Amino acid sequence: MKCKFAMKNILLLAMCLFLSACSKKETLVVEKQPNNQIPQHVVAMTSSLADIWQLAGGDLVGVVSDAFTDPNLEIKKGEVADIGAVAKPNLEIVLSLKPDLVLLSKDIHSQTDLTTVLDESKIKYMVVSVENFDDYMAVLESFTNMTNRKDLFEENGVQVKKKIETLVEKIPTGTSPKVLFLRTSSSNVKAIAQNNATADILKKIGTTNIADQNGSLLDNLSMEVIIQENPDYIFAVIMGSDSEKAMNSLHTSLSSNPAWANLDAVKNNHFLVIPKDLFQYKPNERWGEAYEYLLKIIYPEVYK
C-alpha cells in the first residue's frame, strides 16, 4: 500500500507506517492533513465516509444526498446540509459551509478532481478508499486520532475485528462453495467480484466467486457461463429505491430463462436477496454482522 503526502509531518509518517502494516492495498491517501485541532465543520462526500466520521465521534455540516436515505445513518435534512449527488457534488454549497475538513472518495474521479479548488481555497481534505475491513480499520483509526476518541476505535474497530477473527476461525477446511454475487437495479444486473466489500467478505470466508474465476461474467452476464459454472449459492443485492423494478430487471436478465431453475443454487433454495444495509452500503461497525450473516447461510451446520 502506498501513502501520498501533501504535508510532511510526523503524524503523517506514523499514519503511513500503520497503514502499510495493515494492508498491501492502497487504502488511504492523505492529501491535506488537518492540524491538531479537532475538525468541527466536516463535509463527507459519501454516506460511508459520513458514517465512519460519526463512528469516530465527529460531527458533520454537509453530506451527499444519499446519506439521508442510508439505513446505517441518522442524519436529518435541515440539521446537515445536502451537498448534492455523490458523482456530482455541489461545490458552491460545499464552499459556503466553510468546512475545515472535506472527506473525498478516491474511487470517484468527480470528487478527486475537486482537490485543486480545495487547495486554492485553502480547505483541508482527505482522499480515502474503503473497500474492505482493513481499509475501514485504517480510516477509522485515522479519524479517531483526529477526534481524540481512541475509545471509539476500540469499540467500533478493535472489538469488531475480534468478532470477525472468532467467526473465521470456525470456517470448515477443505470446502470452497461456488458463489455468484449480483448487484441488480432497475436498469441492469451485474456480477461483482472485485473492489467490493461483499465480494471481499465472500472471499475471506472461503468461497469461490465464479465471476472471479471467469472474468467474462464481469463484462457480460452470460446465462451460458453461469450454467457452466453452476454456483452453489447466488446472492443478489438491490441498488436504488425501487425494489420491484430491480427484481424485474433480474427476472428479465436471468431468472426468466428456463435454465435458471436447473441451477443447483436455485434448486436448493440458495438464491437469496441479501439486505442492502449490510451488503450494498458499507457495513462499517456492523462488518462482523455481515460476516456472520453470510457464514450462517453457507455453513449452517457450524454457525447456528
Side-chain angles (χ1 to χ4, degrees):
M1 185 208 63
K2 300 177 181 177
C3 293
K4 299 178 182 178
F5 296 85
M7 298 178 66
K8 295 181 179 179
N9 55 50
I10 295 174
L11 287 175
L12 279 179
L13 179 58
M15 183 186 303
C16 195
L17 289 173
F18 167 79
L19 295 176
S20 296
C22 282
S23 172
K24 294 181 180 179
K25 174 180 175 291
E26 185 170 344
T27 299
L28 173 63
V29 178
V30 181
E31 299 289 353
K32 284 279 185 173
Q33 172 67 22
N35 56 31
N36 292 328
Q37 294 181 339
I38 298 174
Q40 300 294 324
H41 297 85
V42 178
V43 171
M45 293 201 175
T46 71
S47 61
S48 178
L49 292 177
D51 188 22
I52 301 174
W53 181 252
Q54 287 189 325
L55 291 171
D59 294 321
L60 295 157
V61 296
V63 293
V64 287
S65 301
D66 67 354
F68 296 101
T69 57
D70 187 330
N72 296 322
L73 282 169
E74 292 185 3
I75 296 177
K76 296 180 180 179
K77 286 190 177 182
E79 296 178 1
V80 180
D82 185 340
I83 64 166
V86 170
K88 195 174 181 180
N90 188 315
L91 186 58
E92 185 177 350
I93 295 177
V94 172
L95 295 178
S96 73
L97 295 171
K98 298 181 179 179
D100 50 13
L101 176 63
V102 177
L103 305 174
L104 307 163
S105 171
K106 175 180 174 289
D107 306 309
I108 303 173
H109 294 306
S110 58
Q111 293 191 13
T112 56
D113 288 346
L114 299 177
T115 57
T116 301
V117 176
L118 294 174
D119 276 329
E120 292 171 351
S121 303
K122 297 182 179 180
I123 294 173
K124 293 161 186 170
Y125 56 84
M126 294 180 69
V127 182
V128 304
S129 177
V130 180
E131 294 296 350
N132 56 45
F133 181 70
D134 287 341
D135 293 352
Y136 165 72
M137 286 289 286
V139 174
L140 180 66
E141 181 163 47
S142 175
F143 286 2
T144 53
N145 284 340
M146 285 189 281
T147 59
N148 294 325
R149 293 296 305 272
K150 296 289 188 175
D151 60 313
L152 292 178
F153 178 66
E154 173 72 24
E155 177 183 342
N156 296 318
V158 175
Q159 292 303 316
V160 177
K161 183 177 182 180
K162 288 179 179 178
K163 177 177 180 176
I164 292 172
E165 289 172 345
T166 300
L167 288 167
V168 170
E169 283 177 356
K170 297 192 296 182
I171 294 175
T173 58
T175 62
S176 184
K178 292 198 292 185
V179 302
L180 173 63
F181 175 47
L182 303 171
R183 189 164 60 195
T184 180
S185 69
S186 58
S187 58
N188 61 47
V189 181
K190 287 186 172 293
I192 306 295
Q194 302 166 0
N195 301 321
N196 178 272
T198 303
D200 184 72
I201 294 173
L202 288 167
K203 182 177 181 179
K204 295 287 176 57
I205 64 175
T207 70
T208 299
N209 191 326
I210 66 170
D212 217 3
Q213 298 294 108
N214 196 321
S216 64
L217 283 173
L218 299 174
D219 301 316
N220 178 28
L221 195 59
S222 164
M223 192 65 196
E224 182 179 350
V225 175
I226 296 173
I227 293 168
Q228 176 186 330
E229 296 291 342
N230 196 19
D232 300 298
Y233 295 86
I234 300 174
F235 298 107
V237 68
I238 292 172
M239 285 186 68
S241 58
D242 197 325
S243 299
E244 184 177 353
K245 285 186 178 179
M247 292 307 294
N248 285 340
S249 181
L250 180 64
H251 178 72
T252 301
S253 300
L254 295 175
S255 59
S256 61
N257 190 313
W260 174 264
N262 293 321
L263 293 171
D264 283 349
V266 177
K267 289 190 294 185
N268 295 323
N269 295 318
H270 289 167
F271 165 61
L272 301 105
V273 177
I274 52 181
K276 64 194 305 182
D277 57 332
L278 289 177
F279 301 107
Q280 170 57 24
Y281 297 97
K282 300 293 192 311
N284 294 332
E285 87 282 13
R286 300 176 65 195
W287 224 289
E289 187 180 336
Y291 267 78
E292 188 171 28
Y293 186 98
L294 293 174
L295 284 167
K296 285 183 174 181
I297 292 170
I298 296 172
Y299 308 106
E301 69 285 356
V302 177
Y303 301 90
K304 300 177 181 179

